[in-house]
């Protein structure tokens, strides 16, 4: 399968659930509490977890319509492989994906 982006956005200043404010992605899983845009209604799940955005997010609608292949990894599937030790779900995995 493929994903086709509808828009892009500038990374905003965010406050994480621990109250730390930053303008960069510290680790995978950093959440951005988006605002309604392009007629897409945004759920409150991210803000309910404690993530906050400082000010408005700048969105760009005129973007290159790329087709991005979706290559699922263990972090998306929700089931870790059998292992006797800690499993890092950030690709690449031992399988090469």
């Amino acid at each position: 399968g493929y994903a086709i982006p509808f828009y892009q956005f500038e990374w905003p200043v965010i406050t994480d659930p621990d109250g730390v404010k930053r303008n960069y992605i510290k680790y995978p899983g950093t959440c951005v509490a988006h605002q309604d845009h392009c007629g897409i209604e945004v759920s409150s799940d991210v803000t309910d977890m404690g993530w906050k955005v400082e000010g408005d997010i700048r969105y760009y609608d005129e973007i290159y319509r790329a087709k991005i292949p979706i290559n699922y990894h263990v972090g998306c599937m929700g089931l870790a492989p059998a292992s006797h030790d800690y499993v890092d779900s950030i690709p690449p995995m031992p399988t090469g994906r």
Side-chain angles (χ1 to χ4, degrees):
Y2 291 90
I4 299 172
F6 288 106
Y7 58 84
Q8 291 177 311
F9 65 96
E10 285 185 17
W11 189 260
V13 175
I14 60 172
T15 304
D16 70 16
D18 295 326
V20 178
K21 189 183 290 189
R22 62 175 145 261
N23 64 351
Y24 58 90
I25 302 172
K26 181 170 180 165
Y27 47 83
T30 298
C31 297
V32 175
H34 281 277
Q35 297 145 354
D36 292 347
H37 183 72
C38 291
I40 300 169
E41 186 176 325
V42 180
S43 82
S44 65
D45 292 345
V46 173
T47 53
D48 292 346
M49 290 188 292
W51 295 90
K52 298 178 183 130
V53 172
E54 304 293 322
D56 290 332
I57 298 173
R58 176 180 265 169
Y59 292 95
Y60 299 97
D61 297 323
E62 299 295 322
I63 63 170
Y64 179 73
R65 296 288 180 191
K67 285 178 73 174
I68 304 164
I70 299 174
N71 296 317
Y72 291 103
H73 63 87
V74 71
C76 293
M77 295 187 310
L79 180 63
S83 175
H84 65 284
D85 200 3
Y86 170 79
V87 176
D88 185 354
S89 66
I90 300 173
M93 296 291 292
T95 61
R97 291 187 168 221

